[in-house]
Every structure is written in structure tokens, then in C-alpha cells.
Amino acid sequence: MKHKQIFLVVIGVIFWIFQSTGFAVNRPNIVFIFTDDHAYQAIGAYGSRINRTPNLDQLAAQGVRFENCYVCNSICAPSRAAILTGKHSHLNGVFTNRERFDGTQTTFPKLLREAGYQTAIIGKWHLKSDPTGFDFWEVLPGQGVYYNPAFLTPQGRTNYTGYTTDIITDLALDWLRGERNSDQPFMLMVQHKAPHRPWDPGPKHLNLYDGVSIPEPQTLFDDYKYRSSAAQVQEMTIAEHMNSRDLKLNFPGNLTEDQRRLWEDAYSDENEKFKQARLEGKELVRWKYQRYIKDYLRCIASVDDNVGRIMRFLEKSGLAEDTVVIYSSDQGFYLGEHGWFDKRWMYEQSLRMPFIVRWPGSARSGTVNRHLTQNIDFAPTFLDIAGVRIPEEMQGRSLLPLLKGKNPGDWRKSIYYHYYEYPGAHSVPKHYGVRTRQFKLIHYYELGEWELFDFLHDPDEMRNVYSEPEYQDKVKELKSELLRLQENYNQKNPEASHQERVQKLLKESASNVGLKLVYRMQKKTGSDPLIPEKQNIDPSAKTLTVGALCNPEAADGVLLAQGGESFGYSLFLQGGAPCFAVRTGGEIRQIAAGDRVASSRRALITGVVNSDGRLRLYVDGKMVASGEGLFIERKPADVLSIGGDTGSLVADGYGESNAFSGSMSDIRIYYGVLDKAGMDEWIREGK
Ligand SMILES: [Ca+2]
């Protein structure tokens, strides 16, 4: 008994000596400052042409700035889950913003806490389940708001008045001053909502950039001409997809009277001028870009100020020398590049993440690291910094050797990417891909399309060279690298979700027999609309593919239509552009291709009504438009007509005289979704 007591005392004394002497030096504190949607293009140290970030620049000057750090799935919650677990989405279970994070998983905060760190998270969490692995947490519910936010804690909800970026920093500093146990090393995550949509600036920065014109990106008016159809069907353009709240034509609904007065002072004059100016075309896009980018940068000015506040506190309190400070954001963002805002794509601006590490005495200050790194590396790095063993299951690799200026010979030569949130906001198709230092190969597997970019000749990713003969060896090499990565990261059937969904669609559709050709006409003769004698086509509650090979001689005309102003579908040309419309209960959805079809050549024009609630339009098997659709709920009264819409009209785009002029052949209607291979065969058979 006595021996045991002495033993415990000795252990206690050794522990005390450790803690009060060399312990803190070996186990530094970690402050991880993390923002939402902060693009590298808007950080001075990363070469910003559009703003200044003195505090972040100073952090970079005193630390290591990672130049090639990439997200594994460019959207908020999935990136956060990958960072916590060190694993790709298919293993951590957060594929999109819709899943709930399983907090029983192994995460770096849990392991640090078990190893004796005091752990805290303050700010945006966005993973639906309660945070686990933290001694202290106070997080925004869901996406959170910019003004007068509520916060969740284990004890319940608290409301604050003020600007959220400032409040998160206040709470972090309060924790550092009060809650923190000075006997333990700590790991504090300071996670901002800023600069996420809708980009509401703080009171201090509402007038920053007034009277200034921010430079436009070179690709603001990208026409996606030399890209896959994916880039053409997204819904994230500054031109068309920003709402009045984004553009501050409407203000936040929860401002105090004082805050509201500041907003009116800042925006009302300009809004009045805008209403009177009636801008159109490129001028309107330019106005929207200025409006968007200034608010985005105003949010960042506040982030930068608050990074400065934390750094000054660490200096003053004597913690700075023993504290690793990390700055990053959940992914990149489009600041008008390709005409866009938002993220999701494997293209550079949303793929790249800012990642800066300041660690006095250990990381080589003022250096830039160009190794290929990824957000799955963060967890192993944090553990390694703390001297905690990295579990086998983590897929990332510790960046510690890179921080120390080493150049490991076996460092990765490529990174893996996979985006899943489709159908979803902004309509970016699912894709996976591989990036090396010079090349990027992307597979839009639901579209059956590939893209290859060569950064040496095309840093802005404007030209897909996948089909060019001189790149065929490279395509082969990168495809096998992609397979290797999928195997290596244990993603056994990368298109499983897609296959499952297609099967589900086919099962759900009333036909229940997969693809079925229900109507075919080899050739249409004469110039008048034709009503086939024998037909028994019921498009109700089905997935449907309709189309025809045609060579139009006029810009307007209906290829085929069934139904009228209550129920039905219609495939037609308007101003030379293929269009597709469906109706149910009088409600209409209509999509149109951006480009005209040439009258000098034959084209296969097909429309697909899909049970995922979307409409799609294809020319020669290539998707040219997609949009929200609807199911045709009942069999229309009007029968199928070829080369015109007779009787009651399905679409708004034409009147009574809507006959198609030109030649038409191989007109088909399928129950089910015809894939690209099927459309290719259709074209071949029609020749
Ligand atoms: Ca984000």
C-alpha cells in the first residue's frame, strides 16, 4: 500500500516537472483559424490583385505558405468532415451538405484531448450533429448569420448582438483568457462564417471600396466553348443566378435599428442609381460583379482584422512562441472567374485552399511550399505537431517534414478529388478526377464526359484537350493514376451512387422495364405536321427520352409534341436554338440550348424528362441545357404530332403556325433514359 502511494507521488512529481518545464515546448498549443469560402485570390500573400490582407500576410511572412493545397470535395460540410477525420468523403460519410456527421468517428480533436490537450471550438460547425471531442464548444446553428447571431452550447442557445466575425473572435479571446487551463496545452478552433454567401459586411467596412473599381478576372465573360457540357449547364453565374439579397437590393431581416441605418447610408444611394440606370448585358454583369466582389472583400477585411486581434493577444499574453497558428478555409471560391461565384468544381479556384502555418522556431518562416497537399493532411499534421500517434485509418499525411523544410522523396505526385452534390444547388454535375503538377483529368461520370487541362499552356482551364491526339498518352497515364488513387483510397465503386440512383429511377418509373422504345418513325415526309395513325404513348409518371435526327431550314418550328396547355411535352427550335418543354396541371418548365444548331448539317436533338425532377436537352448526345423539370402527371388529351404542335399548344415559345421546315428522320420516343451510348448509336443508325 505504502509503495503504491510513493509510486503515485513520484509519478505526480515527474508529471509536474514535465508540465512546468519542457513540456509546453514539446507540445505546442494550436490555434486553427478557419474561414468559409475564402479564396486564395483574395489573400495578399497569395498574390491578390484585388485586396490587401496585412494580418494574414504577416502570418505568412512569419510562417510557411502552402501554394498547392487542395480540397478533396469542394463544399463546406464535406471539407470540414475530411479535416476532422483525415479521410475522404466516401469513408467519413459526409458526401454533401445534407448528411449528418457521425461524431463517434475518430477525429483529431478527440485524439488531442485524449493526449492531454484542452480542446475548444468556437464559431461555424455546420455538421448537423453536436461537436464531439471538445472540452468547450459554442457554435453557430447551421450556416449561421452575419448579424446578431445565436450560438449553441451544451447548455442551450445564447443570443448575441453585433457582427458575427467580431463576436467569434471575442468568444475565442474570452476562452483563452478565462476558460483555459494554463496547465495543459490547448487546441482552439476559431471558425468564421465569413466570407460565405450572402457576404454581409460588418459595420466597420460597409463603406470600404466606395468609389473604387475592383479589377475583373480575365475569364468573367467565359462562354465555356471548349469545355464539357458540365460547364454549360451549371447555375452559378454572376450574370443570372444572383438574387436581390446577394446584391444588397434587400437587407438582412434581423438588423437592429442602428445597424439598419448604417446599411441604408451605405447602400441606398447606389441602389437608387442602379434602379434608374436600367443596365443590360455586359454592363449589368459588370455592375453585379462590383457589387458582389466589394461585399465579399469587405467580409474579408473583417476576417483579417480579427486574425490580427488574435495574433496581438498571443503576443501580449506570452503565448505566441509556444503556439502554432494555422489559417485556412474550407475550400476556394470563384470571384468572377468563368463568370461564376460559389465553388464545387474541380477547377482551380474552388479546388485550391489557402493554408498558412506559423510555428516559431520549428517551421521555416517566410517560406513557400509547393508540394501537393490536401485537407485530409490537416488532421495527421495537427497530431504530429502534438507528438500524438497518427492512426492508420487516416488517409492524409503529416506535413511536419514539409514545415521543417524537408523534401521527402516519396511525397505524393497527384491528388484525388470527388464531388457528389447533384442534383443540388448550382447544378454542378458529379465528378471525380486527378491533378498532378501539370495536368488535371476530370470525369463527369453521369454525363459520360471527360476533361483534360494542361496547365503549362492553359493556366485558366479554358480548353479541354481530352480528345486532342497529342494528349492521348497523357490521358491513358492519368486514367491509370486515377484508378490507382481510387484503389489506394479504398473507394471501391466510385460511381455506385450514380448507378444506384439510375436503378432507382428506372424502378420508380411506371414502365418498370428499363429502357423501352415505344415509338419510331423512320422518315417524315411533307411539310405539314403529321399525326401518326397508330399510337399508344402514355408519357405520364415516366422517365422519357424523345428526339429526332433533323436538318432544319428555318430557325423556328416544332419537332414533336404530345399534349397541350395542361399536360404534355414539346421539343422545338426557337431562334435556331433547341428547346424542350413539359407541362403538368398547366404548370410549365422549359429549357433552351445556349447555341443555335447550324442549318447546314444534320443533328440529333433529344429531350429527357427524368425522374430526378430535371429536364435535359442534348444535341448529338451532348448535354446542352438542363433545368428544373416536372413529371407529367396524366396522359395528355392531345396525341403525338410530328413536325408541329397541333391542337392545344404545349409550350409558350410558338403560336399556331409552328410547323418544322427541313428534313426529319428516325424520330423516336423511349420510356426511360437513353444514355450517351444509346444516342451515339441512334446517330450511327440514322446514317
Ligand atoms: Ca464553404
Side-chain angles (χ1 to χ4, degrees), residues 345-374:
W345 298 96
M346 201 191 164
Y347 300 140
E348 284 302 273
Q349 289 80 12
S350 48
L351 181 67
R352 267 177 86 185
M353 311 166 76
F355 190 64
I356 298 168
V357 182
R358 179 190 187 272
W359 186 4
S362 289
R364 300 211 316 162
S365 66
T367 59
V368 178
N369 186 284
R370 294 180 202 282
H371 286 78
L372 297 177
T373 56
Q374 212 163 11

Side-chain angles (χ1 to χ4, degrees), residues 1-38:
M1 199 64 184
K2 212 173 177 191
H3 277 85
K4 201 170 181 186
Q5 278 173 345
I6 290 167
F7 176 74
L8 286 174
V9 167
V10 169
I11 290 290
V13 167
I14 290 169
F15 192 66
W16 177 80
I17 290 168
F18 253 114
Q19 284 208 320
S20 53
T21 57
F23 202 62
V25 177
N26 293 326
R27 309 223 301 168
N29 307 306
I30 297 171
V31 173
F32 180 25
I33 307 172
F34 191 64
T35 46
D36 195 317
D37 295 353
H38 191 178

